[in-house]
Amino acid sequence: MEEKSWKDHHALLNPREENELEIFGYKTQGCRKTMCIAGYIFSCGALLLLFYWKPAWDVWANCSPCNLQEADVILLRTTDEFQKYTRKKVTWIDLSKLNLSVRDTSDSLFIADKDSVINRAIMKPELKVRSIQVQKIRYIWDLSVKQFQKVGSLDDSNSCYDIHHKFGTGLTREEQNIRRLVCGPNAIEVEIRPIWKLLFKEILNPFYVFQTFTLTLWLSQGYVEYSVAIIILSVISIGLTVYDLRQQSVKLHDLVEEHNKVQVTACTKDEGCKKLESHYLVPGDILVLERKQHSLPCDAILIDGGCIVDEGMLTGESIPVTKTPLPHMENTKPWKTHSAEDYRRHVLFCGTEVIQTKPTGKGPVRAVVLQTGFNTAKGDLVRSILYPKPMNFKLYRDAFKFIIILTLIGVLGLIYTVCVYVQHKKPVAETVAMALLLFTVSVPPAIPAALTTGIVYAQKRLKNKKIFCISPQRINICGQINLVCFDKTGTLTEDGLDLWGLIPSEGSRFQNVYSFASGTPLPWGLPCGAMASCHSLIVLDEKIQGDPLDRKMFECTCWEMEDSSTAHSKTAVPDTSVIVKPGPNTRNAPVDGIAILRQFPFSSGLQRMSVITQQLGKDQYDLYMKGAPEMVTSFCRPETVPIDFIKELKVYTTQGFRVIALAHRALNMGKDVELDNLEREEVESDLTFLGLLIMENRLKAETKPVLEELSTARIRSVMITGDNLQTAVTVAKNSGMISKTSKVILIEASEPEGPTPASITWQLVEDSKQMAAGITILVNGTVFARMSPGQKSSLIEEFQKLNYYVGMCGDGANDCGALKMAHAGISLSEQEASVASPFTSQVPNIECVPELIREGRAALVASFAVFKYLTLYGLTQFIGTALLYWQLQIFGNYQYLMQDVVITLLVCLTMSLTQAYPKLAPYRPPGQLISPPLLLSVILHMGITAIMLVCGFLLVKQQPWYSEMVNHRECPPATHSLTIPNRNGTANATDIPSSVLSYEDTTLWPLTTINCIILAFVFSKGKPFRKPIYTNYIFSVLLLTQLGICLFLLFVDISAVYKGMQLLCTPTIWRVYILIMLFVTFCVSFFVEDVVLQNRHLWLLIKKCCQFQSRSQYRKWQRKLEKDPTWPPLKRKDFAENSKNEIYINPIYEHDEEN
């Protein structure tokens, strides 16, 4: 295809986003479709089933490539390593039925916002819009840029001015109708999938299709009882799966349905404000927020007034968050980047609870609808549950490769059978049936299901330990974790902070420390004013609620906060302000109280917060700021900052204290000033430094033992925090993350400023070669401080690029992005299951981390064990059946039933019940099926089994009592000896050939059956990842019971047993020989598996002799650094190259800041 044609045929959907997709245009061809329909009929639906599994093949067969503008079918392909295809039909949205007033001129706008994609998508004069829907999001065809664009949200290019002036007065009724038709309803609709659909989808799974084929074959050969047993088990399995999926569907539907029909007040230009159901809202609508508590049905930008919301549904942390209105700005910058302030402070997210509204004098609290339906924050979370990101874990890819290998072995068996049966001139129908039967024996259809048994039991054990999981497939991945990142505050240290002291500053000198432990109330002064007012606390249900740090700081002032509804009736301050007053225990405060008029809330990116206040009864306005000491002092006048500031700060941070700086500025503003229109940049300057607030952040009791356990297990621990570096380093040393004797190198990165390029400075903390500095830091860094939420996510991603399996443990608030990005994100939350991360621990300490790794390792080892067992079980049956085929015989119906149901099925269900070993081993279990130890295990055990079965098959023919054709089943009485027939089978004239009855079958059946029990025992290894086998009482008793039953069937002389099991009587000595063969096989198998293949020291020696080195990126860099004489660099400053021409902006920081 030519380059231009290829560009028209192919495009990217959501470029550079997490859900990026490639799209291809196709046009349906009538003749091709007719041929495909004929193919469906002639193949009895097999071709249709193939197209169901492979949608890309369906499109390629039915359609021809064309440019996207003409396409009626779109083929989508993910851009990740899975390259998954999806087929979507292009639909038309007809606007003509709306009776639009403007329809003639081609230049006329249907949407007042001239930049809206809707204007560019309407085809004139037809008044139609082309659209596709992908993962619940609607995309429409933009005629100007010739690509599909997302609808359902306001354009990010709108400036603050645009938001206020384009949408501040509401939309017209006509524009609402157009937007509603094009964008769809504002509803997060999760249908309760009908049972017949779930059943249909489950039955069409390749596993069940293969099983249906197998059962049909078995039934045709008369294996009725066995087939019926498998059918019953399959029906139960399908029923349980469908029930589970249905329950999940109902639960998710109920979770979102209540928010789809919320009554809201919306305003339009031509009809004013009126009540309507929330699903009628469209982007650009004006939403009026009532004073009562309610849930938000959409994402909206606050434009008038303020409010306090609970974002616990999104973050897992139920702390009131203050939202401020979007400022009126005249510049043309996009509204999200109008200033350095975090834009999330202006956005009300769908699904969050509005606790309190703060109307201004202009009128009620108003917001512009930003996003609707599945475009919202809540919709995005629901979509992540409906369409989980596939995990790239080698286990599942290797399992597929392994099944292909077994299939090839089955094909060899098929060819072997055809040769044998053709040589004996058997009918074609019988030859085909027996060949297909041997083919199905080699591939146990339960292999895919077996890989999940360990996960199911591990998930149940985790739930009993208050660790909940919404992504079970990640449990196996937890077994491979070799690096864990921890947030500091609330994760490694206690959530609540104890105030240790205040170091006031006057005249650019630090004063004596005020200790809060003394019990003496804090005397009035500007530091006291800052502590009493510079916070985001609120009064709710007569209780002060908010950030734990703010609460502790405010409590130490002995001041009181009044409920805004009662306080404002007695004062002349605005209704939206918060009033704080001296309490009865304060020391002679010469003020009646302070009104907090305007808040510039705390942001992780800005590392500070500010408030504008006014003393009650006075006209003086003050600005108070608190935040990171380095940040706050940068806004202060240099002459007010003590000369020994750095030294004093270091004294406390090196002791592990958390330090916050306070600052103040008297504002000279008139009475008529509009505080709501003030930007923080206008007032946050020329501040006076007030002092340092010292807080004690104690380690949790569980932190040090857990980190020591991880260190012993050679699992790297890393701290990622927004706090001061010195404080973080001290906490790392106290917790054992960094050895007390280790030398710590401080690496400080500076952004480019003007002509000065970005730089990295290296120096020893005690003293406080341009070789891919970023990677060397990633490989060796232990503490990453002053990290924003977006930078945390970015850091996790960089670790993953170095082939680390990364776990992340945080409190779920600032860490949402990092928790989702990690292979295993664990949120410490009181909620049962937080959508903020795959795992949630209700126990708020890091003990859950080793627990999860232990269970992950146990589940992974169990999956490997069951997989190996099923593979060997299939190969054992394959070899046994192939030997019997040599003389045109086969195992009996009940013999298969015994092996498959009584032995194998029960083993698969109970083998994974063995619990995780309580101590973490200093190495990980293998994470690949296609690896030398596992392949050798399968090959050697297959060889041992083959030798045993061939020996039994050949030796029985050498016995003096052997006969090819026999008719007797029961053994003679003890006083009579077994009749020895003629070796040519002439002892009994009535002897007839049998497809089952033979001495070979009677010998091979106990060998194969008991060998399955031997393999189950051998593969159920305990230490170092699971407890010993005897602790799994159910499995141990089951193996003993199965062995007892098999020995009973081997040695019992009961006619009914022989008849039912289709066995022949053999001399007791031969049965003893069979037992000896099995015992030798057990000893050899146990020695090979336990002493050779599971011998870690032996494999390390082999690796050393073969000079094998890990191919993981982080290992390669570690080896490089070991050989680098200049590592680690000290007292050095490295500058970025070409920084003047190109500055890298991390896209994750940009997009994930909202997390």
Side-chain angles (χ1 to χ4, degrees), residues 809-834:
C809 185
D811 57 16
N814 299 342
D815 311 312
C816 290
L819 291 169
K820 287 180 182 177
M821 182 66 69
H823 290 106
I826 315 165
S827 171
L828 305 182
S829 171
E830 293 180 3
Q831 298 181 17
E832 182 173 312
S834 168

Side-chain angles (χ1 to χ4, degrees), residues 522-533 554 557-560 562 571 579-595 613-622 624 664:
L522 181 68
W524 168 252
L526 289 175
C528 179
M531 291 173 63
S533 61
F554 182 74
T557 62
C558 298
W559 281 45
E560 295 174 346
E562 294 195 7
T571 61
I579 307 293
V580 292
K581 293 184 176 180
N585 296 326
T586 52
R587 289 175 56 185
N588 304 322
V591 293
D592 296 329
I594 296 175
T613 67
Q614 179 184 11
Q615 289 187 22
L616 297 184
K618 296 183 181 179
D619 296 333
Q620 174 64 40
Y621 293 103
D622 295 288
Y624 290 105
H664 165 264

Side-chain angles (χ1 to χ4, degrees), residues 885-901:
Y885 270 21
W886 186 256
Q887 53 194 41
L888 308 182
Q889 290 183 321
I890 193 169
F891 288 120
N893 199 347
Y894 288 105
Q895 292 173 0
Y896 273 129
L897 194 67
M898 178 80 177
Q899 287 179 345
D900 289 7
V901 178

Side-chain angles (χ1 to χ4, degrees), residues 894-936:
Y894 288 105
Q895 292 173 0
Y896 273 129
L897 194 67
M898 178 80 177
Q899 287 179 345
D900 289 7
V901 178
V902 179
I903 306 291
T904 301
L905 179 68
L906 296 178
V907 164
C908 288
L909 290 175
T910 56
M911 184 185 276
S912 301
L913 285 170
T914 308
Q915 295 187 11
Y917 196 70
K919 184 180 178 182
L920 281 174
Y923 53 92
R924 299 174 295 164
Q928 301 178 61
L929 282 171
I930 311 296
S931 61
L934 190 131
L935 287 175
L936 268 176

